[in-house]
Amino acid sequence: LAKTTQPISMDSYEGQEVNITCSHNNIATNDYITWYQQFPSQGPRFIIQGYKTKVTNEVASLFIPADRKSSTLSLPRVSLSDTAVYYCLVLLNQGGKLIFGQGTELSVKP
Amino acid sequence: GAVVSQHPSRVICKSGTSVKIECRSLDFQATTMFWYRQFPKKSLMLMATSNEGSKATYEQGVEKDKFLINHASLTLSTLTVTSAHPEDSSFYICSARDISGRPSYEQYFGPGTRLTVT
């Protein structure tokens, strides 16, 4: 099982770009990298998913190097409402199980 | 986007009683649903995989006789906590995978159910 490692916490200020890097050294060939956001007492919310290179949607970008052993979630111009826990997950190909790591608690300050 | 609901959102029960939590996919069909529990300030822990029309697959260390899972239709899975004890108090979250989704197997999470056992 691919295990992920990410910083426990990060601080930022409104308007800044935030980059959260995740390590997944044992990622398998068919695995996808997925990021979720969770607010207190709510279910996780899908942010972005990718396999290689770069993926961008309306809320974030995901950068994946060629070896795929890490990935970086980039949040442009964060606001206070982006304060949450961000989880990096590797989607196991054999059934879609999501195994959550510890996540990164992002705190955005005014 | 796809919506997953859970009912109830909060429940308080007495020790020794059983509690049923429902997970529904509202606008898509899900052959597979997942159940998680989350303690305060901790990450989500996968409990089991619920498969429509077949027995659930439990993760190591999760008691299948204590946490009964039924996935009777493509839009409903239920988790029953039997003979609940205070240590079962937790935040229970389900997720569902859209069978018609992309090969990337995107999952949609419910809002969670807060269980408190007194």
Side-chain angles (χ1 to χ4, degrees), chain B residues 2-4 24-33 52 71 73-76 95-101 106 108:
Chain B
V3 178
V4 175
R24 292 181 186 273
S25 57
L26 297 185
D27 52 0
F28 67 98
Q29 293 182 323
T31 54
T32 304
M33 292 184 174
E52 187 267 336
H71 194 153
S73 76
L74 287 173
T75 60
L76 173 64
S95 71
R97 199 170 77 208
D98 187 343
I99 62 174
S100 64
E106 183 173 331
Y108 304 94

Side-chain angles (χ1 to χ4, degrees), chain A residues 19-74:
Chain A
N19 296 307
I20 307 174
T21 298
C22 176
S23 297
H24 27 78
N25 292 317
N26 298 323
I27 190 169
T29 303
N30 296 326
D31 289 340
Y32 282 77
I33 299 153
T34 309
W35 286 78
Y36 282 82
Q37 175 193 57
Q38 187 183 28
F39 297 111
S41 296
Q42 294 186 28
R45 183 178 73 100
F46 174 86
I47 301 175
I48 197 166
Q49 184 177 76
Y51 183 80
K52 61 180 179 180
T53 62
K54 177 184 175 182
V55 179
T56 297
N57 61 23
E58 62 275 10
V59 297
S61 294
L62 180 59
F63 299 92
I64 306 168
D67 65 6
R68 304 201 327 123
K69 294 183 182 298
S70 67
S71 60
T72 299
L73 173 72
S74 181

Side-chain angles (χ1 to χ4, degrees), chain A residues 70-108:
Chain A
S70 67
S71 60
T72 299
L73 173 72
S74 181
L75 304 173
R77 295 184 296 280
V78 294
S79 63
L80 296 176
S81 62
D82 292 318
T83 294
V85 178
Y86 292 83
Y87 292 98
C88 161
L89 299 100
V90 172
L91 186 60
L92 302 176
N93 188 51
Q94 66 266 28
K97 291 199 299 185
L98 292 176
I99 305 299
F100 284 78
Q102 64 184 16
T104 297
E105 187 170 7
L106 173 66
S107 178
V108 180

